[in-house]
Amino acid sequence: IELLKIELEKSTELLENERILMENERIKQNNIQEQLEASLNEKTLDFEEMKRRLVKAIREKADLFNSLHSYEMKLEEEQSRKWVPDEDVLNCTKCNTVFGWTVRKHHCRRCQKIFCHNCSNNWIQGSKINSPQYRICDYCNEKLLKESLTPNDIINIDIINNRETKDDIDLQFEVRAERLPSTTDIQPTS
């Protein structure tokens, strides 16, 4: 019986030591898990901030592109406006009708090219109050109508109308392993 008591005490002591080791291991694992969760939360916040900045940068890029494109179009249009002398044109620029005694030449006051009456029978008000109306060609009239019906400088109405980042925006990123720092390179932030 004494031997059994001694063996029981040894077994109890061994089991108690194992329990203490297991408890210490569990505490260690819990600490590691808490650190990983804190790191994950920090990375999630960083990711959300980077996503917000990316969406903002994309919008700013789109705005800049629209502005640049608009200015380029206006510059090109201004540079192409050159008063065409009457002597240089024998036919209507649009319908190719031959000018003569019955078909007169008319300058479009916007693009400065020469058209027949049928192709330039559009009128716009001058830019100043009480200024006369000006004759413009069908091409310029179509451009003006499109410009007046199209909202200015908008590529994607859905993105522009939503100026704040929504949580339900689904951005997918490809993360390449060669771009990720190794876990030994990561320094803890404090």
Side-chain angles (χ1 to χ4, degrees):
I1 292 186
E2 279 302 312
L3 270 173
L4 285 173
K5 279 185 180 180
I6 291 172
E7 201 173 307
L8 180 64
E9 284 177 10
K10 283 183 183 178
S11 295
T12 306
E13 191 178 315
L14 279 173
L15 286 173
E16 184 61 26
N17 286 341
E18 278 189 45
R19 189 190 64 75
I20 290 171
L21 284 173
M22 297 285 270
E23 184 66 23
N24 287 340
E25 186 66 29
R26 187 186 62 78
I27 291 170
K28 185 179 173 185
Q29 291 297 326
N30 283 345
N31 288 339
I32 290 173
Q33 183 178 355
E34 288 173 4
Q35 289 174 349
L36 288 173
E37 286 174 356
S39 176
L40 178 63
N41 287 338
E42 184 180 325
K43 301 285 187 221
T44 301
L45 291 174
D46 289 346
F47 175 76
E48 292 299 321
E49 176 64 18
M50 294 305 288
K51 183 169 75 169
R52 187 188 65 74
R53 287 182 183 180
L54 176 66
V55 170
K56 181 181 176 189
I58 289 170
R59 286 186 184 129
E60 289 173 353
K61 179 183 173 191
D63 290 344
L64 286 173
F65 176 79
N66 282 334
S67 297
L68 178 64
H69 183 68
S70 174
Y71 287 126
E72 285 176 346
M73 294 296 289
K74 287 178 183 175
L75 178 64
E76 185 179 309
E77 190 176 299
E78 285 295 323
Q79 289 174 344
S80 69
R81 288 184 187 175
K82 182 181 174 189
W83 188 266
V84 179
D86 286 351
E87 309 81 48
D88 292 354
V89 180
L90 301 175
N91 300 0
C92 173
T93 306
K94 183 178 179 189
C95 69
N96 217 20
T97 300
V98 177
F99 294 119
W101 287 98
T102 57
V103 181
R104 292 191 58 215
K105 298 177 182 179
H106 298 281
H107 275 92
C108 171
R109 301 299 181 195
R110 192 156 189 259
C111 67
Q112 313 299 325
K113 296 179 181 164
I114 298 177
F115 298 88
C116 69
H117 172 76
N118 292 332
C119 297
S120 64
N121 197 19
N122 306 292
W123 299 87
I124 59 168
Q125 187 65 38
S127 57
K128 296 180 182 175
I129 298 173
N130 296 329
S131 62
Q133 289 189 330
Y134 295 105
R135 180 185 293 270
I136 59 171
C137 67
D138 291 344
Y139 295 134
C140 291
N141 190 47
E142 286 178 34
K143 279 185 191 176
L144 285 173
L145 284 174
K146 283 181 184 176
E147 288 173 9
S148 68
L149 296 175
T150 305
N152 292 337
D153 299 336
I154 293 181
I155 286 181
N156 187 336
I157 295 171
D158 294 334
I159 289 178
I160 301 300
N161 285 341
N162 178 13
R163 285 293 182 192
E164 292 302 316
T165 304
K166 286 186 175 178
D167 291 334
D168 62 350
I169 292 178
D170 183 24
L171 296 178
Q172 296 179 355
F173 296 97
E174 178 183 342
V175 179
R176 296 183 182 162
E178 68 266 17
R179 302 280 181 173
L180 293 176
S182 67
T183 53
T184 57
D185 295 342
I186 299 174
Q187 300 295 324
T189 58
S190 49

